[in-house]
Structure formats: structure tokens, C-alpha cells
Amino acid sequence: MKRIYQLSMIVLIITISSIIIQSCCTEDFKIIGKGNIGAYYDYFNERNRTDTVDRAILIHWHLEYRVASLNDFGLIRSCYATRCAETFENELIESTLEISCDKDFEYNGNTIDHDSNFIGIDELELFFIKTYGSVEIVFTEDFLNKTNFDASDYVFTVKIHTTDEKEFIHSLKLHMDL
């Protein structure tokens, strides 16, 4: 009986120590590819996906990433469903975000030349979702009301750099019907 008690105390001490130690872990991700890009009405949801712009849209770009390392991994954490802190080895550099278009268009009476970066326009809303390696660019109603696009297809190209000096580029073809 004394032996069972000692054995159960050892198991209990190991379990408690493992929970305390293993719950302080990190899970490192690395952005490795251009991933997926799409245009959506209102919010990111496949049911809201569109390829025609006739009102405000959100361009959602989810870059491809993989687990780079999992530090202090243990079975106990899996059993107790605790999570590790998630970090990216190569984070997105927000100041390097660019968006351009393959055709000229007018904004507020001025011509925006094709292939020029127009990310600085105030009516565009930008969101960086670092925990998912995602970028969202919102073409707001204010932005669309101040623009003049021909009723045709436009290819929008989005570009961003990461802290490990990699450049990711993705394009999206949208029909402008404003």
C-alpha cells in the first residue's frame, strides 16, 4: 500500500510539474508562400466572395505559412488542451504593403497611373491580422464614390515584404461595375 501511495505521488508531481512547465511554450510559424487572395462583401466568408465590384468590398489575402518550430512540446499540454504562444519567425512589415492596378483609373479628379502604388489613399482601410498571416484592404464606399473605373476587368496586385527580406506578390482579377 505504501508503494502504491509513493508511486501515485510521483505520478502526481510529474503531472503537475509538466502542466506548469509545458503551458509556457511557443509555437513558431514562418510565412512561406503567397497563399490565397479573394474579394468579399462585408466580411471574410466564402458565401460573400465576389469577382464583381458594385459596392464596398474587402480584399482578403491570407499568406501561406507553416510551423517552423514547436518549443517545449509535451503530451500533457495536449491532454489538457492548453495552447502555446504563436509567433512568426518572419513577420509582415506593414509599411511595405502596396496595391496597384493594371489600368489607369481616376481618383478624386486625378489619374492614378497603372502599376502605381495607391495604398496611401485615405479612404482605403487596412487591417493586418498577424496571428493568421493575413492582410485586408477595404475598398470603402467613400473610396469607390471618389473613383472612376471603366466597366471592365482590372487586375489588382498586392505586394508585401517580411522581416526576413522576402517579397510576396499576389494578384486578383475583379470586374468593376460601379
Side-chain angles (χ1 to χ4, degrees):
M1 187 70 171
K2 188 175 181 182
R3 192 111 164 101
I4 293 175
Y5 177 76
Q6 288 175 341
L7 185 60
S8 58
M9 288 307 289
I10 290 172
V11 169
L12 181 63
I13 289 170
I14 291 172
T15 303
I16 290 172
S17 327
S18 182
I19 291 171
I20 292 169
I21 293 169
Q22 297 296 328
S23 63
C24 302
C25 63
T26 58
E27 192 170 12
D28 297 329
F29 294 95
K30 184 170 186 167
I31 298 171
I32 59 168
K34 67 182 186 175
N36 300 311
I37 194 167
Y40 303 87
Y41 291 124
D42 301 324
Y43 57 92
F44 173 63
N45 183 315
E46 284 303 315
R47 290 180 303 212
N48 295 333
R49 191 174 183 122
T50 185
D51 60 358
T52 301
V53 178
D54 56 3
R55 59 185 164 124
I57 62 157
L58 139 73
I59 295 176
H60 180 87
W61 184 18
H62 182 76
L63 288 101
E64 180 184 357
Y65 61 90
R66 66 173 165 78
V67 174
S69 67
L70 181 59
N71 302 320
D72 302 323
F73 178 74
L75 178 62
I76 299 299
R77 182 179 50 258
S78 300
C79 296
Y80 285 95
T82 59
R83 288 184 56 119
C84 299
E86 296 174 353
T87 58
F88 278 87
E89 286 185 357
N90 58 342
E91 292 187 10
L92 299 174
I93 303 173
E94 295 177 17
S95 63
T96 64
L97 180 65
E98 296 181 14
I99 186 168
S100 60
C101 185
D102 68 332
K103 298 179 185 175
D104 295 350
F105 67 94
E106 281 187 25
Y107 168 75
N108 217 13
N110 298 314
T111 299
I112 305 295
D113 294 326
H114 69 284
D115 297 329
S116 64
N117 180 18
F118 61 93
I119 201 72
I121 294 177
D122 291 334
E123 287 79 16
L124 292 175
E125 293 179 2
L126 309 175
F127 299 97
F128 295 87
I129 308 157
K130 290 187 178 188
T131 53
Y132 294 107
S134 298
V135 175
E136 291 182 349
I137 303 169
V138 181
F139 286 15
T140 64
E141 287 293 334
D142 288 343
F143 171 73
L144 295 175
N145 288 336
K146 292 181 179 181
T147 59
N148 184 14
F149 287 97
D150 293 333
S152 64
D153 292 342
Y154 286 77
V155 176
F156 292 91
T157 301
V158 184
K159 184 187 311 184
I160 197 162
H161 291 87
T162 57
T163 53
D164 63 349
E165 300 178 8
K166 290 189 177 163
E167 178 181 70
F168 295 98
I169 302 171
H170 213 319
S171 296
L172 174 66
K173 183 172 153 183
L174 296 172
H175 181 77
M176 303 305 281
D177 190 23
L178 300 167

